[in-house]
C-alpha cells in the first residue's frame, strides 16, 4: 500500500517540493488563528489548547503530505549528461519515502501533545493557580509521592527518547512531521464567549549546543522563542551572567508562559559530562520539566547519546513510570519490508539513458555497501548514476559499478560497516563523525564534456575539484607568485609544491598564495619581503599569467600583507582583518 500511495502522490508532490524543502531548511512553522474542533474523548473536551489542534491525520494523508520525489519524466533521460547529472544531485534533497514506523511515530507525537495539554486547561482554576504560586517555586519543589506538584496538579505530560543510527533520518522525519502536520503557533482570542488572549506554541525544536551545558541550552531556547514570537527573552535572561539554576528557572517560566505543547531536543549526545550542568543535570532537568511543569519532551540523538541514559535513565523511568517511552533504531534488515520498499522506490528514480532493472543481486550489493542506512543508500545510488552517465555507453548500473563507487566514494564508512557486521556495538558511535566522501561526485561532474554551472553552497567545493584537475596550471601560478617573493626559481618551485601538497590540491588558490607569503616571510625579514612584493609589477611578462598594474590596489593580497606589517600585525591577522581568512567551520559546511 505504501509503495502504491507513494507513486500516486509523486506527480503532485513535484510542484510542492521547493516550498516544503525551504520550510524544513529553516524549520519555520506556521502561525494560525485558533479554530476549535469537537473532541470525542471527554478528557479533551472544553480545553481550548486541545480543541485548537488539527485533527489526527490518517495513513493515506500522512503519505500524501510527507512523501516527495525529484522531478521524473521519460524525456529527462534523453537530456545532455550535464542536465541529467543535475537531476541526479536533486535526488538526495527531494527523495523521501514515508514508512509504517514513521506513521507510528507521528501517532505517538500527536498523542503526546494532546495528553500533555490535559492537565493544562486555561479555563480551569488550577491553571491560574500555578501561575499565582510561581513556576520557579513549583519547579524547585518538585512533586510529592502522589506525583502532584506544589499547586496540587498532577501533570499528564509524557517524555520520549528517540535514538537512531547516524544517517537514519530521524531529524528529517520529525522536522517534516512538525512543519507539515502541525501549526507551530496558535493565537487564541475568544472561546465559547470568554476572552482568552493566549499564545499557544505547539512545538519548538532545539538543537543542543556542542559540548556545552544546560545553561547554554537554556539560552538557545530563549533565542528560538524570540525568533518565533518576536520577544526579547534572550536579552532579558540570556545575556546577563548568572548561575545555571537561574537560567533554568527563567526557562521554565518562559515555557509555561508560551503554553508549550512539546519540546524536541535534538543532538542530545552533544551534552558532555565534563561541563558544568552536564549529563546528570540534563536528565534531572528534563524529568522535572515533564513532572512539575507538564511539558512533553522528546530527546533525539545518535548512538553516542546512549551514555546519557546508561545510569541516569533508571531514575527518569522511576520518576514517570507510565509516561515514558523510548525508541532505538539501527539499520534496516536486509530481508525486511522496509528495506525492500525503500530501495525499490529509490531505484525507480533513474536519469541514465537506459533503465536498469533492480535484480536480487543488485539489491544485495546495494545493501552490502550501504548497510541499509537510508542516507548512505541514497548517496551510493547518486554516485553510481553519476559515474554511469559520465562513462557513457549503455549507462546501466552494474554490481561492479556499485562496488567501485562504494570503495571510492564511501571508503570512510566501509571499515565501520565491517565492524558492525561483526557485532561490535561501539562501531555505531563511530558513524557519528564520518561523512561519505563527496569529492568523487565532483570528479564525475568535472569529467563531462561541458562544465556544469554549480551555484550556492557547493560552488566553492566544485571549483576546488576542477582546480585539482588542472594541477600543472595551479603549480605554475603558485611558482610565479612565489618567485616574486623569493627571487629564486628553485626555492619558488619548492614552496609551490609544498603548499600544493599540503592541501592535496584542494586549497583555495588565494589561500595557497597566503601560505606561500607566510612561508616566505618566515625565511626573510618582513621589510625585505615587502620590498620584493612591491617590485612584482616590474617583473618580465613571462613570469605573469596576466597583466599586473604597476600600483597594487588596496584589495591586493600583497598590499594587505604589506600594510598589515606596518601596523605591526602578523600576516594572518592582516588577512583576517581584511576578511580574506574564513573560519574552518564555514569550509566544512561545504562538504556536509
Amino acid at each position: 500500500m505504501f509503495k502504491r500511495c507513494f507513486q500516486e502522490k509523486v506527480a503532485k508532490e513535484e510542484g510542492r517540493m521547493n516550498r516544503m524543502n525551504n520550510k524544513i531548511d529553516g524549520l519555520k512553522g506556521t502561525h494560525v488563528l485558533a479554530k476549535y474542533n469537537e473532541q470525542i474523548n471527554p478528557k479533551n473536551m472544553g480545553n481550548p489548547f486541545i480543541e485548537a489542534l488539527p485533527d489526527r491525520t490518517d495513513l493515506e494523508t500522512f503519505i500524501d503530505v510527507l512523501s516527495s520525489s525529484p522531478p521524473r519524466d521519460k524525456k529527462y533521460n534523453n537530456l545532455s549528461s550535464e542536465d541529467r547529472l543535475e537531476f541526479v544531485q536533486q535526488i538526495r534533497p527531494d527523495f523521501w519515502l514515508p514508512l509504517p514506523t514513521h506513521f507510528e511515530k507521528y501517532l505517538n507525537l500527536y498523542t503526546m501533545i494532546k495528553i500533555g495539554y490535559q492537565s493544562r486547561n486555561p479555563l480551569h482554576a488550577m491553571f491560574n493557580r500555578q501561575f499565582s504560586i510561581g513556576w520557579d517555586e513549583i519547579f524547585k519543589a518538585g512533586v510529592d509521592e502522589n506525583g502532584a506538584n506544589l499547586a496540587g496538579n498532577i501533570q499528564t505530560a509524557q517524555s520520549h527518547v528517540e535514538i537512531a543510527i547516524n544517517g537514519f533520518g530521524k531529524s528529517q522525519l520529525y522536522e517534516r512531521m512538525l512543519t507539515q502536520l502541525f501549526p507551530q503557533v496558535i493565537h487564541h482570542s475568544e472561546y465559547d464567549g470568554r476572552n482568552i488572549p493566549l499564545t499557544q506554541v505547539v512545538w519548538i525544536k532545539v538543537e543542543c549546543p556542542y559540548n556545552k551545558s544546560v545553561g547554554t541550552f537554556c539560552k538557545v531556547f530563549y533565542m528560538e522563542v524570540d525568533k518565533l514570537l518576536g520577544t526579547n527573552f534572550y536579552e532579558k535572561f540570556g545575556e546577563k551572567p548568572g548561575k545555571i539554576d537561574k537560567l533554568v528557572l527563567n526557562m521554565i517560566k518562559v515555557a509555561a508562559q508560551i503554553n508549550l505543547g512539546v519540546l524536541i531536543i535534538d543532538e542530545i549526545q552533544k551534552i558532555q559530562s565534563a561541563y558544568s550542568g552536564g549529563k546528570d543535570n540534563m536528565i534531572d532537568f528534563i524529568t522535572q520539566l515533564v513532572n512539575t511543569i507538564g511539558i512533553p519532551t522528546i530527546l533525539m540523538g545518535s548512538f553516542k547519546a546512549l551514555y546519557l541514559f546508561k545510569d541516569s535513565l533508571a531514575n527518569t523511568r522511576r520518576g514517570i513510570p507510565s509516561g515514558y517511552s523510548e525508541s532505538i533504531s539501527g539499520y534496516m534488515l536486509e530481508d525486511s519490508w522496509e528495506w525492500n520498499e525503500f530501495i525499490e522506490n529509490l531505484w525507480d528514480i533513474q536519469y541514465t539513458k537506459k533503465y536498469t532493472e533492480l535484480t536480487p543481486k543488485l539489491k544485495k550489493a546495494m545493501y552490502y555497501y550501504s548497510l541499509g542506512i537510508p542516507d548512505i543508500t541514497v548517496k551510493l545510488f547518486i554516485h553510481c548514476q553519476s559515474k554511469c552517465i559520465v562513462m557513457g555507453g549503455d549507462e546501466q548500473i552494474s554490481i561492479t559499478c556499485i562496488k567501485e563507487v562504494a570503495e571510492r566514494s564511501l571508503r570512510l564508512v566501509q571499515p565501520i560497516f565491517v565492524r558492525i557486521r561483526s557485532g561490535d556495538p561501539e562501531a555505531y558511535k563511530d558513524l557519528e563523525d564520518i561523512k561519505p566522501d563527496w569529492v568523487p561526485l565532483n570528479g564525475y561532474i568535472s569529467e563531462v564534456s561541458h562544465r556544469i554551472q554549480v551555484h550556492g553552497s557547493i560552488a566553492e567545493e566544485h571549483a576546488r575539484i576542477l582546480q585539482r584537475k588542472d594541477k600543472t596550471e595551479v603549480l605554475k601560478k603558485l611558482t610565479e607568485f612565489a618567485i616574486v617573493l623569493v627571487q629564486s626559481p628553485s626555492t619558488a618551485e619548492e614552496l609551490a609544491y609544498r603548499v600544493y601538497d599540503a592541501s592535496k590540491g584542494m586549497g583555495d588558490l588565494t589561500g595557497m598564495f597566503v601560505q606561500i607569503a607566510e612561508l616566505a616571510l618566515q625565511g626573510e625579514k618582513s621589510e625585505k619581503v615587502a620590498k620584493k612584493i612591491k617590485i612584482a609589477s616590474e617583473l618580465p611578462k613571462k613570469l605573469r599569467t596576466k597583466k599586473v598594474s604597476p600600483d597594487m590596489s588596496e584589495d591586493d593580497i600583497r598590499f594587505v600583507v604589506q600594510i598589515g606589517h606596518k601596523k605591526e600585525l602578523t600576516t594572518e591577522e592582516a588577512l583576517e582583518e581584511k576578511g580574506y581568512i574564513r573560519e574552518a567551520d564555514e569550509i566544512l559546511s561545504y562538504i556536509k
Side-chain angles (χ1 to χ4, degrees):
M1 177 180 178
F2 268 73
K3 183 174 183 180
R4 176 180 57 80
C5 292
F6 176 76
Q7 292 173 336
E8 289 175 353
K9 307 304 179 183
V10 162
K12 61 180 178 179
E13 281 298 308
E14 292 178 4
R16 192 161 57 88
M17 266 308 301
N18 288 335
R19 295 193 300 274
M20 186 184 72
N21 284 336
N22 289 339
K23 189 174 290 184
I24 290 177
D25 287 342
L27 199 56
K28 298 177 182 177
T30 56
H31 287 241
V32 300
L33 297 176
K35 181 180 179 181
Y36 304 107
N37 302 308
E38 185 178 352
Q39 301 295 305
I40 299 176
N41 187 341
K43 291 187 176 182
N44 296 334
M45 295 177 179
N47 188 326
F49 289 155
I50 294 179
E51 292 186 3
L53 294 173
D55 289 331
R56 183 184 289 106
T57 296
D58 59 25
L59 178 58
E60 185 174 356
T61 303
F62 180 83
I63 299 172
D64 181 15
V65 173
L66 264 64
S67 61
S68 62
S69 178
R72 295 161 66 183
D73 194 300
K74 290 182 179 180
K75 66 181 181 182
Y76 298 149
N77 298 81
N78 297 319
L79 296 174
S80 66
S81 55
E82 296 93 338
D83 290 332
R84 287 185 289 126
L85 282 171
E86 184 178 343
F87 275 110
V88 169
Q89 291 184 82
Q90 202 66 41
I91 295 176
R92 188 184 178 202
D94 287 2
F95 175 74
W96 182 266
L97 176 68
L99 296 171
T101 53
H102 295 165
F103 186 64
E104 293 171 7
K105 294 181 189 300
Y106 160 71
L107 294 178
N108 180 62
L109 173 63
Y110 185 87
T111 302
M112 281 184 68
I113 295 175
K114 268 197 171 182
I115 291 179
Y117 277 127
Q118 286 180 353
S119 57
R120 293 183 290 153
N121 189 333
L123 302 184
H124 288 178
M126 178 62 74
F127 180 82
N128 295 315
R129 182 182 180 188
Q130 292 174 121
F131 278 94
S132 298
I133 293 175
W135 287 107
D136 50 349
E137 296 299 323
I138 292 176
F139 183 80
K140 288 187 289 186
V143 295
D144 61 21
E145 63 276 8
N146 298 317
N149 64 17
L150 187 61
N153 194 17
I154 299 177
Q155 303 292 358
T156 54
Q158 302 174 339
S159 64
H160 177 71
V161 175
E162 189 78 46
I163 302 296
I165 192 170
N166 198 44
F168 189 77
K170 59 185 178 301
S171 296
Q172 281 184 298
L173 171 61
Y174 275 89
E175 288 173 1
R176 285 173 178 264
M177 291 193 300
L178 291 170
T179 56
Q180 298 302 303
L181 300 174
F182 298 92
Q184 188 168 14
V185 182
I186 301 175
H187 298 276
H188 299 262
S189 59
E190 182 180 333
Y191 176 84
D192 197 23
R194 296 178 58 176
N195 291 327
I196 51 169
L198 298 173
T199 297
Q200 176 186 359
V201 177
V202 179
W203 59 268
I204 282 184
K205 182 174 179 288
V206 179
E207 184 173 316
C208 280
Y210 184 71
N211 279 5
K212 298 299 181 182
S213 68
V214 174
T216 306
F217 170 79
C218 292
K219 293 180 180 181
V220 174
F221 177 82
Y222 298 148
M223 288 189 288
E224 289 297 324
V225 175
D226 288 345
K227 286 191 296 183
L228 182 62
L229 301 178
T231 48
N232 64 340
F233 290 121
Y234 180 79
E235 180 182 351
K236 187 176 180 180
F237 301 129
E239 288 186 342
K240 300 177 182 179
K243 295 182 179 180
I244 291 177
D245 291 345
K246 187 67 175 178
L247 287 168
V248 169
L249 291 177
N250 286 329
M251 177 185 165
I252 295 302
K253 293 178 181 179
V254 173
Q257 182 177 331
I258 65 176
N259 303 299
L260 183 58
V262 62
L263 173 63
I264 298 94
I265 306 175
D266 200 4
E267 305 292 348
I268 191 67
Q269 71 275 2
K270 291 181 180 178
I271 294 294
Q272 301 292 315
S273 57
Y275 284 78
S276 175
K279 64 177 184 178
D280 295 330
N281 278 5
M282 174 58 81
I283 298 300
D284 291 341
F285 167 58
I286 297 302
T287 302
Q288 286 288 83
L289 191 67
V290 175
N291 285 356
T292 62
I293 311 302
I295 308 293
T297 306
I298 297 177
L299 305 179
M300 298 196 300
S302 69
F303 273 74
K304 277 189 176 181
L306 287 175
Y307 84 93
L308 279 167
F309 308 102
K310 184 177 180 181
D311 301 318
S312 305
L313 200 54
N315 295 329
T316 304
R317 285 177 177 148
R318 285 196 294 271
I320 40 176
S322 62
Y324 174 85
S325 62
E326 61 183 304
S327 173
I328 302 177
S329 305
Y331 55 87
M332 292 183 281
L333 298 177
E334 187 173 4
D335 59 353
S336 67
W337 182 91
E338 286 81 3
W339 162 252
N340 285 280
E341 191 75 5
F342 183 85
I343 188 62
E344 287 173 8
N345 279 278
L346 175 64
W347 197 265
D348 285 340
I349 310 172
Q350 294 186 30
Y351 297 101
T352 52
K353 289 183 178 179
K354 188 175 181 180
Y355 182 84
T356 302
E357 295 292 341
L358 181 61
T359 65
K361 289 184 178 180
L362 286 172
K363 186 185 295 185
K364 188 175 184 65
M366 286 293 295
Y367 183 85
Y368 181 83
Y369 289 107
S370 69
L371 206 62
I373 300 174
D375 187 53
I376 303 295
T377 305
V378 172
K379 290 174 181 175
L380 177 59
F381 186 57
I382 289 174
H383 282 247
C384 286
Q385 280 201 61
S386 298
K387 181 174 183 179
C388 288
I389 292 173
V390 169
M391 297 304 293
D394 60 5
E395 297 187 3
Q396 284 198 294
I397 303 173
S398 64
I399 295 176
T400 301
C401 174
I402 295 173
K403 180 177 182 296
E404 290 177 351
V405 168
E407 292 176 349
R408 181 185 179 189
S409 305
L410 306 177
R411 64 182 183 276
L412 298 178
V413 298
Q414 296 308 317
I416 298 176
F417 288 173
V418 172
R419 290 171 54 200
I420 291 177
R421 294 188 194 100
S422 70
D424 181 4
E426 295 297 314
Y428 289 97
K429 298 180 181 179
D430 293 338
L431 277 175
E432 173 77 12
D433 303 314
I434 295 295
K435 292 183 175 62
D437 194 353
W438 194 72
V439 170
L441 184 56
N442 280 276
Y444 300 145
I445 297 173
S446 66
E447 290 168 8
V448 298
S449 57
H450 299 88
R451 179 176 298 184
I452 295 177
Q453 294 299 316
V454 184
H455 304 282
S457 61
I458 64 173
E460 185 172 338
E461 181 65 20
H462 178 60
R464 293 180 183 181
I465 299 299
L466 297 178
Q467 175 186 312
R468 184 176 184 181
K469 183 181 178 183
D470 300 327
K471 179 177 180 180
T472 303
E473 183 64 24
V474 173
L475 285 172
K476 179 182 177 182
K477 292 180 180 179
L478 294 177
T479 303
E480 290 173 349
F481 179 83
I483 204 170
V484 173
L485 304 178
V486 298
Q487 291 187 336
S488 168
S490 60
T491 303
E493 187 175 359
E494 179 184 352
L495 288 176
Y497 272 93
R498 183 176 172 183
V499 171
Y500 183 92
D501 292 339
S503 65
K504 297 180 180 179
M506 297 293 290
D508 175 73
L509 190 59
T510 302
M512 288 193 281
F513 284 162
V514 172
Q515 294 177 45
I516 288 176
E518 290 178 335
L519 291 173
L521 288 169
Q522 289 175 7
E524 301 185 48
K525 293 182 179 180
S526 299
E527 293 183 3
K528 187 176 181 180
V529 175
K531 182 178 180 180
K532 292 178 180 179
I533 291 176
K534 190 174 182 180
I535 298 175
S537 61
E538 302 174 0
L539 291 175
K541 291 184 178 180
K542 64 180 182 180
L543 293 178
R544 301 195 299 269
T545 57
K546 61 181 181 179
K547 187 176 181 180
V548 181
S549 302
D551 296 324
M552 292 181 288
S553 69
E554 294 183 0
D555 293 329
D556 192 301
I557 189 172
R558 299 165 296 174
F559 181 81
V560 173
V561 172
Q562 181 180 350
I563 297 301
H565 291 158
K566 290 182 179 180
K567 294 163 62 177
E568 298 185 351
L569 298 175
T570 65
T571 299
E572 182 178 359
E573 289 172 340
L575 294 169
E576 186 175 8
E577 182 181 31
K578 189 66 176 177
Y580 285 172
I581 294 181
R582 299 179 178 178
E583 295 293 334
D585 289 346
E586 184 177 346
I587 299 174
L588 291 174
S589 68
Y590 295 124
I591 58 176
K592 286 185 179 181

